[in-house]
């Protein structure tokens, strides 16, 4: 069964360590390797540019990771650049081959409100953007910012600029107020690439039931994530915990909107049985043991395929 994964942070690790590459064997420093993606039958992997808070967040820092995407991700065996609905069909459709790589930006900090930098990243393939990481920036407040404000005037402009360029908006990490303001402003459906259900694990990074219902009502996409502390608050997280979140989103009417966003290479601890893309094979088996095949096919890639085909444009 083909897989679509809505979020990983391999670009950040590639930026930090020039010796790393997707072609290296699993265990050599990256969770996401060409070999792991092939073994897990991953047809679409989103690669997020993420510039950590401690480093200067400038357009240059984001462009450098975009260059790594071209120079060290797309050059790996079997990789294909995904920019359009047709590209999505080629990697997730009936005659699919290889792994598609889609470029996103996690937190608009580095853009510093420079619209040329957004346009340049779009030319380099940027097709998805989250306005914030955890804290506040020029565009709005992240979910861990205590004041909990929403979008700035410039942040509102960013959403409109993204929509006119054809860049989809990711609401994972955004403050709750920012989420609702974005939902009201956006003309295209939104997606949360790596968040779980807060009622199942009380972490602020997870979505409230109202947020899940709103994403479902707007025909959006919810990428459930393998971050262990977003799956359960204490004890060892396992695939069973992920199934609990799947079950809850289904109970809220979201069965047709579930996808997965692993957060591989963005985590230091792992959910048992989910340590890299190759483990999607075991996850698929666990899902098939409990749910009908058409439903599982939707979660593993069908819903992401539909979403990106409908909204990426030609
Ligand atoms: Zn993240």
């Amino acid at each position: 069964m083909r897989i679509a994964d809505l979020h990983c942070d391999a670009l950040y690790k590639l930026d930090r360590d020039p010796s790393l590459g997707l072609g290296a064997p699993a265990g050599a420093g990256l969770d996401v390797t060409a070999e792991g993606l092939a073994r897990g039958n991953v047809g679409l992997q989103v690669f997020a540019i993420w510039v950590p808070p401690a480093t200067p967040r400038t357009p240059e820092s984001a462009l450098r990771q975009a260059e790594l995407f071209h120079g060290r991700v797309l050059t790996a065996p079997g990789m294909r650049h995904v920019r359009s609905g047709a590209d999505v069909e080629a990697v997730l459709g009936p005659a699919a081959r290889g792994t598609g790589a889609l470029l996103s930006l996690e937190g608009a900090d580095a853009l510093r409100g420079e619209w040329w930098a957004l346009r340049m990243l779009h030319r380099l393939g940027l097709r998805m953007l989250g306005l914030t990481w955890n804290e506040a920036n020029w565009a709005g407040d992240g979910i861990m910012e205590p004041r909990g404000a929403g979008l700035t005037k410039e942040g509102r402009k960013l959403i409109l600029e993204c929509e006119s360029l054809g860049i989809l908006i990711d609401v994972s990490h955004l403050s709750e107020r920012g989420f609702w303001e974005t939902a009201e402003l956006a003309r295209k459906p939104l997606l949360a690439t790596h968040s779980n259900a807060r009622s199942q694990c009380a972490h602020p990074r997870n979505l409230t039931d109202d947020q899940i219902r709103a994403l479902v009502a707007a025909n959006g996409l919810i990428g459930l994530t393998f971050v262990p502390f977003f799956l359960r608050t204490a004890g060892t997280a396992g695939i069973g915990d992920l199934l609990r979140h799947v079950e809850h989103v289904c109970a809220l009417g979201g069965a047709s909107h579930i996808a997965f966003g692993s957060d591989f290479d963005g985590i230091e601890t792992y959910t048992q049985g989910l340590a890299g893309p190759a483990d999607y094979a075991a996850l698929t088996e666990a899902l098939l043991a409990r749910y009908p095949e058409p439903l599982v096919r939707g979660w593993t890639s069908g819903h992401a395929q539909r979403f990106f085909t409908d909204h990426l444009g030609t």
Side-chain angles (χ1 to χ4, degrees):
M1 205 170 273
R2 291 297 264 179
I3 302 293
D5 185 311
L6 303 182
H7 189 86
C8 81
D9 284 309
L11 290 175
Y12 153 69
K13 283 196 188 166
L14 288 170
D15 192 17
R16 201 181 53 180
D17 184 349
S19 74
L20 290 179
L22 248 63
L30 282 181
D31 300 335
V32 177
T33 61
E35 186 199 336
L37 291 167
R39 277 176 50 206
N41 203 10
V42 178
L44 178 67
Q45 176 67 59
V46 175
F47 290 84
I49 295 170
W50 178 67
V51 183
T55 49
R57 289 162 146 175
T58 58
E60 183 195 344
S61 62
L63 289 168
R64 198 174 58 235
Q65 288 193 27
E67 196 282 326
L68 291 173
F69 175 74
H70 283 265
R72 280 155 74 192
V73 171
L74 294 179
T75 51
M79 302 302 289
R80 180 187 172 128
H81 192 181
V82 169
R83 281 165 291 195
S84 66
D87 294 334
V88 173
E89 285 305 303
V91 291
L92 292 177
R97 278 189 15 248
T99 299
L102 188 147
L103 184 64
S104 76
L105 175 62
E106 181 173 32
D109 309 61
L111 298 179
R112 296 195 173 184
E114 297 280 0
W115 304 111
W116 68 265
L118 180 70
R119 290 193 296 272
M120 188 68 223
L121 284 170
H122 176 260
R123 290 200 170 98
L124 292 170
L126 187 77
R127 291 295 181 270
M128 200 196 295
L129 176 148
L131 272 75
T132 69
W133 191 58
N134 285 336
E135 69 274 16
N137 65 22
W138 61 271
D141 273 17
I143 187 64
M144 305 308 275
E145 189 68 41
R147 68 180 173 180
L151 307 177
T152 63
K153 190 175 161 195
E154 288 289 277
R156 290 170 177 273
K157 186 175 172 200
L158 176 59
I159 289 173
L160 301 178
E161 290 285 327
C162 283
E163 288 199 333
S164 75
L165 284 169
I167 297 172
L168 302 167
I169 302 292
D170 176 7
V171 294
S172 286
H173 285 284
L174 197 54
S175 69
E176 280 186 54
R177 190 161 158 203
F179 173 97
W180 292 111
E181 289 175 358
T182 301
E184 199 180 319
L185 189 64
R187 285 164 300 193
K188 279 190 183 174
L190 306 171
L191 76 168
T193 58
H194 57 305
S195 294
N196 291 332
R198 204 181 295 178
S199 78
Q200 300 302 303
C201 174
H203 192 290
R205 272 279 287 102
N206 287 337
L207 301 162
T208 66
D209 285 358
D210 282 346
Q211 288 177 316
I212 291 169
R213 285 193 199 96
L215 287 170
V216 169
N219 210 15
L221 199 59
I222 300 159
L224 296 177
T225 188
F226 307 165
V227 181
F229 45 92
F230 298 168
L231 282 169
R232 59 184 300 153
T233 48
T236 308
I239 287 178
D241 292 296
L242 182 59
L243 297 184
R244 196 160 40 76
H245 287 263
V246 166
E247 193 66 37
H248 183 72
V249 177
C250 288
L252 294 175
S256 302
H257 303 270
I258 293 173
F260 296 111
S262 63
D263 210 4
F264 287 139
D265 287 314
I267 45 180
E268 267 138 33
T269 56
Y270 298 87
T271 291
Q272 220 161 47
L274 295 171
D279 290 334
Y280 267 112
L283 175 60
T284 304
E285 261 179 54
L287 291 168
L288 285 171
R290 190 155 162 185
Y291 297 102
E293 197 247 326
L295 208 49
V296 174
R297 200 171 282 280
W299 298 340
T300 54
S301 69
H303 301 153
Q305 182 184 352
R306 181 191 65 204
F307 188 88
F308 290 124
T309 305
D310 286 355
H311 304 299
L312 276 185
T314 50

